[in-house]
mmCIF file with all atom_site columns, all heavy atoms in Angstrom:
data_model
loop_
_atom_site.group_PDB
_atom_site.id
_atom_site.type_symbol
_atom_site.label_atom_id
_atom_site.label_alt_id
_atom_site.label_comp_id
_atom_site.label_asym_id
_atom_site.label_entity_id
_atom_site.label_seq_id
_atom_site.pdbx_PDB_ins_code
_atom_site.Cartn_x
_atom_site.Cartn_y
_atom_site.Cartn_z
_atom_site.occupancy
_atom_site.B_iso_or_equiv
_atom_site.pdbx_formal_charge
_atom_site.auth_seq_id
_atom_site.auth_comp_id
_atom_site.auth_asym_id
_atom_site.auth_atom_id
_atom_site.pdbx_PDB_model_num
ATOM 1   N N   . HIS A 1 9  ? 22.847 40.368 11.270 1.00 0.00 ? 9  HIS A N   1
ATOM 2   C CA  . HIS A 1 9  ? 22.535 40.218 9.852  1.00 0.00 ? 9  HIS A CA  1
ATOM 3   C C   . HIS A 1 9  ? 23.812 39.995 9.045  1.00 0.00 ? 9  HIS A C   1
ATOM 4   O O   . HIS A 1 9  ? 24.133 40.743 8.141  1.00 0.00 ? 9  HIS A O   1
ATOM 5   C CB  . HIS A 1 9  ? 21.796 41.450 9.326  1.00 0.00 ? 9  HIS A CB  1
ATOM 6   C CG  . HIS A 1 9  ? 20.426 41.583 9.887  1.00 0.00 ? 9  HIS A CG  1
ATOM 7   N ND1 . HIS A 1 9  ? 19.379 40.799 9.478  1.00 0.00 ? 9  HIS A ND1 1
ATOM 8   C CD2 . HIS A 1 9  ? 19.916 42.407 10.846 1.00 0.00 ? 9  HIS A CD2 1
ATOM 9   C CE1 . HIS A 1 9  ? 18.289 41.123 10.139 1.00 0.00 ? 9  HIS A CE1 1
ATOM 10  N NE2 . HIS A 1 9  ? 18.589 42.104 10.983 1.00 0.00 ? 9  HIS A NE2 1
ATOM 11  N N   . ALA A 1 10 ? 24.549 38.951 9.394  1.00 0.00 ? 10 ALA A N   1
ATOM 12  C CA  . ALA A 1 10 ? 25.775 38.622 8.670  1.00 0.00 ? 10 ALA A CA  1
ATOM 13  C C   . ALA A 1 10 ? 25.398 37.882 7.387  1.00 0.00 ? 10 ALA A C   1
ATOM 14  O O   . ALA A 1 10 ? 24.452 37.101 7.358  1.00 0.00 ? 10 ALA A O   1
ATOM 15  C CB  . ALA A 1 10 ? 26.671 37.752 9.525  1.00 0.00 ? 10 ALA A CB  1
ATOM 16  N N   . PRO A 1 11 ? 26.106 38.118 6.310  1.00 0.00 ? 11 PRO A N   1
ATOM 17  C CA  . PRO A 1 11 ? 25.807 37.406 5.060  1.00 0.00 ? 11 PRO A CA  1
ATOM 18  C C   . PRO A 1 11 ? 26.109 35.917 5.212  1.00 0.00 ? 11 PRO A C   1
ATOM 19  O O   . PRO A 1 11 ? 26.936 35.506 6.014  1.00 0.00 ? 11 PRO A O   1
ATOM 20  C CB  . PRO A 1 11 ? 26.735 38.072 4.047  1.00 0.00 ? 11 PRO A CB  1
ATOM 21  C CG  . PRO A 1 11 ? 27.833 38.664 4.853  1.00 0.00 ? 11 PRO A CG  1
ATOM 22  C CD  . PRO A 1 11 ? 27.235 39.032 6.182  1.00 0.00 ? 11 PRO A CD  1
ATOM 23  N N   . ASP A 1 12 ? 25.400 35.132 4.417  1.00 0.00 ? 12 ASP A N   1
ATOM 24  C CA  . ASP A 1 12 ? 25.599 33.684 4.451  1.00 0.00 ? 12 ASP A CA  1
ATOM 25  C C   . ASP A 1 12 ? 26.999 33.363 3.959  1.00 0.00 ? 12 ASP A C   1
ATOM 26  O O   . ASP A 1 12 ? 27.493 33.938 2.982  1.00 0.00 ? 12 ASP A O   1
ATOM 27  C CB  . ASP A 1 12 ? 24.551 33.015 3.565  1.00 0.00 ? 12 ASP A CB  1
ATOM 28  C CG  . ASP A 1 12 ? 24.558 31.512 3.725  1.00 0.00 ? 12 ASP A CG  1
ATOM 29  O OD1 . ASP A 1 12 ? 25.138 31.004 4.694  1.00 0.00 ? 12 ASP A OD1 1
ATOM 30  O OD2 . ASP A 1 12 ? 23.959 30.834 2.860  1.00 0.00 ? 12 ASP A OD2 1
ATOM 31  N N   . ALA A 1 13 ? 27.629 32.434 4.629  1.00 0.00 ? 13 ALA A N   1
ATOM 32  C CA  . ALA A 1 13 ? 29.008 32.077 4.284  1.00 0.00 ? 13 ALA A CA  1
ATOM 33  C C   . ALA A 1 13 ? 29.077 31.243 3.006  1.00 0.00 ? 13 ALA A C   1
ATOM 34  O O   . ALA A 1 13 ? 30.150 31.041 2.457  1.00 0.00 ? 13 ALA A O   1
ATOM 35  C CB  . ALA A 1 13 ? 29.646 31.323 5.432  1.00 0.00 ? 13 ALA A CB  1
ATOM 36  N N   . GLY A 1 14 ? 27.944 30.740 2.533  1.00 0.00 ? 14 GLY A N   1
ATOM 37  C CA  . GLY A 1 14 ? 27.945 29.942 1.309  1.00 0.00 ? 14 GLY A CA  1
ATOM 38  C C   . GLY A 1 14 ? 28.332 28.509 1.587  1.00 0.00 ? 14 GLY A C   1
ATOM 39  O O   . GLY A 1 14 ? 27.843 27.891 2.518  1.00 0.00 ? 14 GLY A O   1
ATOM 40  N N   . PHE A 1 15 ? 29.237 27.980 0.789  1.00 0.00 ? 15 PHE A N   1
ATOM 41  C CA  . PHE A 1 15 ? 29.659 26.592 0.922  1.00 0.00 ? 15 PHE A CA  1
ATOM 42  C C   . PHE A 1 15 ? 30.570 26.475 2.133  1.00 0.00 ? 15 PHE A C   1
ATOM 43  O O   . PHE A 1 15 ? 31.710 26.940 2.123  1.00 0.00 ? 15 PHE A O   1
ATOM 44  C CB  . PHE A 1 15 ? 30.376 26.154 -0.354 1.00 0.00 ? 15 PHE A CB  1
ATOM 45  C CG  . PHE A 1 15 ? 30.741 24.703 -0.353 1.00 0.00 ? 15 PHE A CG  1
ATOM 46  C CD1 . PHE A 1 15 ? 29.765 23.736 -0.514 1.00 0.00 ? 15 PHE A CD1 1
ATOM 47  C CD2 . PHE A 1 15 ? 32.052 24.308 -0.192 1.00 0.00 ? 15 PHE A CD2 1
ATOM 48  C CE1 . PHE A 1 15 ? 30.092 22.402 -0.516 1.00 0.00 ? 15 PHE A CE1 1
ATOM 49  C CE2 . PHE A 1 15 ? 32.387 22.979 -0.197 1.00 0.00 ? 15 PHE A CE2 1
ATOM 50  C CZ  . PHE A 1 15 ? 31.406 22.013 -0.359 1.00 0.00 ? 15 PHE A CZ  1
ATOM 51  N N   . VAL A 1 16 ? 30.054 25.859 3.190  1.00 0.00 ? 16 VAL A N   1
ATOM 52  C CA  . VAL A 1 16 ? 30.823 25.799 4.432  1.00 0.00 ? 16 VAL A CA  1
ATOM 53  C C   . VAL A 1 16 ? 31.289 24.399 4.779  1.00 0.00 ? 16 VAL A C   1
ATOM 54  O O   . VAL A 1 16 ? 32.018 24.211 5.736  1.00 0.00 ? 16 VAL A O   1
ATOM 55  C CB  . VAL A 1 16 ? 30.004 26.361 5.615  1.00 0.00 ? 16 VAL A CB  1
ATOM 56  C CG1 . VAL A 1 16 ? 29.772 27.853 5.419  1.00 0.00 ? 16 VAL A CG1 1
ATOM 57  C CG2 . VAL A 1 16 ? 28.715 25.616 5.781  1.00 0.00 ? 16 VAL A CG2 1
ATOM 58  N N   . ARG A 1 17 ? 30.866 23.390 4.001  1.00 0.00 ? 17 ARG A N   1
ATOM 59  C CA  . ARG A 1 17 ? 31.260 22.017 4.302  1.00 0.00 ? 17 ARG A CA  1
ATOM 60  C C   . ARG A 1 17 ? 32.253 21.530 3.264  1.00 0.00 ? 17 ARG A C   1
ATOM 61  O O   . ARG A 1 17 ? 32.124 21.800 2.076  1.00 0.00 ? 17 ARG A O   1
ATOM 62  C CB  . ARG A 1 17 ? 30.054 21.098 4.293  1.00 0.00 ? 17 ARG A CB  1
ATOM 63  C CG  . ARG A 1 17 ? 29.070 21.374 5.386  1.00 0.00 ? 17 ARG A CG  1
ATOM 64  C CD  . ARG A 1 17 ? 27.982 20.346 5.357  1.00 0.00 ? 17 ARG A CD  1
ATOM 65  N NE  . ARG A 1 17 ? 26.990 20.642 6.369  1.00 0.00 ? 17 ARG A NE  1
ATOM 66  C CZ  . ARG A 1 17 ? 25.959 19.885 6.622  1.00 0.00 ? 17 ARG A CZ  1
ATOM 67  N NH1 . ARG A 1 17 ? 25.774 18.792 5.935  1.00 0.00 ? 17 ARG A NH1 1
ATOM 68  N NH2 . ARG A 1 17 ? 25.102 20.218 7.557  1.00 0.00 ? 17 ARG A NH2 1
ATOM 69  N N   . SER A 1 18 ? 33.217 20.806 3.713  1.00 0.00 ? 18 SER A N   1
ATOM 70  C CA  . SER A 1 18 ? 34.117 20.143 2.775  1.00 0.00 ? 18 SER A CA  1
ATOM 71  C C   . SER A 1 18 ? 33.879 18.650 2.897  1.00 0.00 ? 18 SER A C   1
ATOM 72  O O   . SER A 1 18 ? 33.746 18.115 3.996  1.00 0.00 ? 18 SER A O   1
ATOM 73  C CB  . SER A 1 18 ? 35.578 20.481 3.088  1.00 0.00 ? 18 SER A CB  1
ATOM 74  O OG  . SER A 1 18 ? 35.933 19.968 4.350  1.00 0.00 ? 18 SER A OG  1
ATOM 75  N N   . TYR A 1 19 ? 33.774 17.978 1.767  1.00 0.00 ? 19 TYR A N   1
ATOM 76  C CA  . TYR A 1 19 ? 33.474 16.558 1.747  1.00 0.00 ? 19 TYR A CA  1
ATOM 77  C C   . TYR A 1 19 ? 34.744 15.784 1.451  1.00 0.00 ? 19 TYR A C   1
ATOM 78  O O   . TYR A 1 19 ? 35.508 16.109 0.546  1.00 0.00 ? 19 TYR A O   1
ATOM 79  C CB  . TYR A 1 19 ? 32.417 16.243 0.690  1.00 0.00 ? 19 TYR A CB  1
ATOM 80  C CG  . TYR A 1 19 ? 31.087 16.869 1.019  1.00 0.00 ? 19 TYR A CG  1
ATOM 81  C CD1 . TYR A 1 19 ? 30.681 18.062 0.435  1.00 0.00 ? 19 TYR A CD1 1
ATOM 82  C CD2 . TYR A 1 19 ? 30.239 16.259 1.931  1.00 0.00 ? 19 TYR A CD2 1
ATOM 83  C CE1 . TYR A 1 19 ? 29.460 18.617 0.746  1.00 0.00 ? 19 TYR A CE1 1
ATOM 84  C CE2 . TYR A 1 19 ? 29.018 16.820 2.254  1.00 0.00 ? 19 TYR A CE2 1
ATOM 85  C CZ  . TYR A 1 19 ? 28.636 17.996 1.651  1.00 0.00 ? 19 TYR A CZ  1
ATOM 86  O OH  . TYR A 1 19 ? 27.434 18.562 1.959  1.00 0.00 ? 19 TYR A OH  1
ATOM 87  N N   . ASP A 1 20 ? 34.937 14.737 2.224  1.00 0.00 ? 20 ASP A N   1
ATOM 88  C CA  . ASP A 1 20 ? 36.097 13.879 2.048  1.00 0.00 ? 20 ASP A CA  1
ATOM 89  C C   . ASP A 1 20 ? 35.742 12.821 1.008  1.00 0.00 ? 20 ASP A C   1
ATOM 90  O O   . ASP A 1 20 ? 34.817 12.031 1.194  1.00 0.00 ? 20 ASP A O   1
ATOM 91  C CB  . ASP A 1 20 ? 36.463 13.232 3.384  1.00 0.00 ? 20 ASP A CB  1
ATOM 92  C CG  . ASP A 1 20 ? 37.704 12.375 3.289  1.00 0.00 ? 20 ASP A CG  1
ATOM 93  O OD1 . ASP A 1 20 ? 38.484 12.560 2.334  1.00 0.00 ? 20 ASP A OD1 1
ATOM 94  O OD2 . ASP A 1 20 ? 37.894 11.535 4.186  1.00 0.00 ? 20 ASP A OD2 1
ATOM 95  N N   . SER A 1 21 ? 36.467 12.796 -0.095 1.00 0.00 ? 21 SER A N   1
ATOM 96  C CA  . SER A 1 21 ? 36.151 11.853 -1.166 1.00 0.00 ? 21 SER A CA  1
ATOM 97  C C   . SER A 1 21 ? 36.400 10.414 -0.725 1.00 0.00 ? 21 SER A C   1
ATOM 98  O O   . SER A 1 21 ? 35.689 9.496  -1.149 1.00 0.00 ? 21 SER A O   1
ATOM 99  C CB  . SER A 1 21 ? 36.940 12.179 -2.428 1.00 0.00 ? 21 SER A CB  1
ATOM 100 O OG  . SER A 1 21 ? 38.322 12.039 -2.184 1.00 0.00 ? 21 SER A OG  1
ATOM 101 N N   . GLU A 1 22 ? 37.383 10.188 0.119  1.00 0.00 ? 22 GLU A N   1
ATOM 102 C CA  . GLU A 1 22 ? 37.664 8.834  0.610  1.00 0.00 ? 22 GLU A CA  1
ATOM 103 C C   . GLU A 1 22 ? 36.516 8.329  1.480  1.00 0.00 ? 22 GLU A C   1
ATOM 104 O O   . GLU A 1 22 ? 36.118 7.170  1.382  1.00 0.00 ? 22 GLU A O   1
ATOM 105 C CB  . GLU A 1 22 ? 38.977 8.816  1.401  1.00 0.00 ? 22 GLU A CB  1
ATOM 106 C CG  . GLU A 1 22 ? 40.205 8.995  0.541  1.00 0.00 ? 22 GLU A CG  1
ATOM 107 C CD  . GLU A 1 22 ? 40.361 7.866  -0.463 1.00 0.00 ? 22 GLU A CD  1
ATOM 108 O OE1 . GLU A 1 22 ? 40.106 6.702  -0.109 1.00 0.00 ? 22 GLU A OE1 1
ATOM 109 O OE2 . GLU A 1 22 ? 40.734 8.161  -1.615 1.00 0.00 ? 22 GLU A OE2 1
#
Side-chain angles (χ1 to χ4, degrees):
H9 292 285
D12 189 15
F15 185 73
V16 294
R17 294 185 183 183
S18 64
Y19 295 99
D20 183 20
S21 63
E22 289 298 320

